[in-house]
């Protein structure tokens, strides 16, 4: 073997021995390999428009199921997403940073805005994507409350070019579970989710059952048919980046439909 080959072999052996072994510390949250939502993503191009609620009731509802956005803790820092971004509702709860670009007349310099995905901007196929069909595929479009829009641009801007990126969500308190339904039909709305913000899977457990996977009904409403009455409820929540948080005995044995319970939280 030549001297240069021996040097390369020795270097490869040294690097292999120097690599730290994988370690595992038991915690409430475990993670799988990071994905696009586990850290800041790159800036991408989109456009944004705004709406002005003529009635306070206009801020209630939405395709993610959060209901009254103020009472749910989202306030005006929210956005409706076009079909190309909405991912059939799985994106609900994800957080984005937006900044105005390419227009010195209307952009407010040095500003950005953080919003949570709470609604869907439906396509309007009566118009072309570049001629009024703002939310038509393949457009990437955000519809903001005017109170949010005016943090990055003047309202006169109208349909504004922006840049956006996924960021981790920061939330106060734990994940909130609102339990609704009737009899053995159980529907759970999940909100106030930190970290990735959007939920990929959820399991529920009573004191007399094992872990039962729930199905996505719509937005962040999940459902199951199971008799879990008169049992404390635990939840296992997995976000889109593969991280799982388990909250044991969140709801007491005497829980009733319509109540909201607070569990553990993802790191942000």
């Amino acid at each position: 073997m030549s001297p240069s080959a021996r040097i390369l072999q020795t270097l490869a052996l040294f690097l292999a021995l120097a690599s730290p072994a994988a370690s595992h510390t038991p915690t409430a949250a475990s993670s799988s390999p990071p994905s696009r939502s586990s850290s800041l993503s790159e800036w991408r191009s989109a456009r944004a428009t705004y709406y002005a609620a003529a009635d306070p009731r206009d801020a209630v509802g939405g395709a993610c199921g959060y209901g009254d956005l103020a009472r749910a803790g989202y306030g005006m820092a929210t956005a409706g997403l076009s079909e190309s971004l909405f991912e059939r509702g799985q994106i609900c709860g994800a957080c984005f940073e937006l900044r105005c670009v390419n227009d010195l007349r209307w952009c407010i310099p040095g500003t950005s805005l953080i919003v949570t995905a709470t609604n869907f901007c439906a396509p309007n196929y009566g118009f072309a994507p570049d001629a009024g069909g703002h939310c038509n595929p393949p457009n990437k479009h955000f519809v903001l409350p005017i109170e949010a829009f005016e943090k990055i641009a003047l309202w006169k801007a109208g349909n504004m070019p922006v840049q956006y990126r996924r960021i981790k969500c920061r939330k106060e308190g734990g994940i909130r579970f609102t339990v609704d339904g009737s009899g053995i039909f159980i529907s759970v709305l999940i909100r106030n989710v930190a970290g990735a913000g959007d939920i990929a899977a959820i399991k529920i457990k009573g004191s007399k059952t094992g872990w039962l996977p729930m199905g996505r009904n719509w937005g962040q409403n999940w459902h199951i048919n199971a008799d879990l009455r008169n049992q404390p409820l635990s939840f296992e929540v997995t976000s889109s980046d593969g991280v799982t948080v388990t909250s044991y005995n969140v709801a007491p044995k005497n829980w009733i439909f319509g109540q909201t319970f607070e569990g553990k939280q993802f790191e942000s």
Side-chain angles (χ1 to χ4, degrees):
M1 182 181 295
S2 67
S4 59
R6 287 195 185 95
I7 292 172
L8 291 173
Q9 186 181 53
T10 303
L11 179 59
L13 178 61
F14 172 78
L15 292 174
L17 293 174
S19 298
S23 62
H24 176 71
T25 302
T27 61
S30 60
S31 63
S32 62
S35 70
R36 59 180 173 81
S37 56
S38 62
S39 61
L40 288 178
S41 61
E42 63 183 18
W43 290 101
R44 300 176 183 273
S45 296
R47 300 189 75 88
T49 49
Y50 65 84
Y51 68 91
D55 188 299
R57 289 174 294 183
D58 292 345
V60 177
C64 292
Y66 295 128
D68 188 319
L69 295 177
R71 293 184 61 185
Y74 296 105
M76 291 294 178
T78 60
L81 275 59
S82 63
E83 186 171 313
S84 296
L85 293 169
F86 193 63
E87 298 179 10
R88 296 179 179 266
Q90 182 172 317
I91 202 71
C92 290
C95 295
F96 296 86
E97 184 177 10
L98 277 66
R99 63 187 184 187
C100 180
V101 293
N102 299 335
D103 199 326
L104 298 178
R105 295 175 302 166
W106 310 122
C107 293
I108 300 176
T111 61
S112 68
L113 170 70
I114 295 174
V115 295
T116 302
T118 61
N119 208 346
F120 174 52
C121 178
N124 183 349
Y125 294 113
F127 297 92
D130 59 350
H134 302 319
C135 293
N136 294 3
N139 292 349
K140 291 178 170 56
H141 196 91
F142 293 82
V143 181
L144 309 172
I146 190 171
E147 294 87 349
F149 186 91
E150 288 186 317
K151 292 184 182 297
I152 58 173
L154 303 180
W155 67 269
K156 292 182 179 180
N159 186 12
M160 191 72 204
V162 297
Q163 289 181 331
Y164 74 96
R165 63 178 178 177
R166 278 286 299 268
I167 64 170
K168 285 193 172 184
C169 300
R170 298 181 181 275
K171 302 295 181 183
E172 295 291 331
I175 301 171
R176 296 189 175 92
F177 305 89
T178 299
V179 182
D180 274 310
S182 178
I184 65 170
F185 176 77
I186 297 176
S187 175
V188 180
L189 169 64
I190 304 174
R191 55 185 174 85
N192 201 57
V193 180
D198 53 342
I199 302 304
I202 177 172
K203 294 179 181 178
I204 190 171
K205 180 182 181 301
S207 58
K208 302 176 184 177
T209 73
W211 287 106
L212 306 173
M214 302 187 75
R216 187 190 301 275
N217 196 332
W218 58 284
Q220 289 302 351
N221 284 278
W222 298 74
H223 70 278
I224 191 172
N225 287 315
D227 189 358
L228 298 175
R229 291 168 291 188
N230 300 314
Q231 301 176 55
L233 302 180
S234 303
F235 295 95
E236 182 183 280
V237 180
T238 301
S239 56
S240 65
D241 57 359
V243 180
T244 297
V245 165
T246 304
S247 301
Y248 290 100
N249 300 324
V250 171
K253 179 180 180 179
N254 60 345
W255 64 269
I256 59 174
F257 291 118
Q259 290 181 308
T260 298
F261 306 98
E262 186 170 336
K264 293 184 178 180
Q265 185 59 278
F266 292 96
E267 293 183 5
S268 58

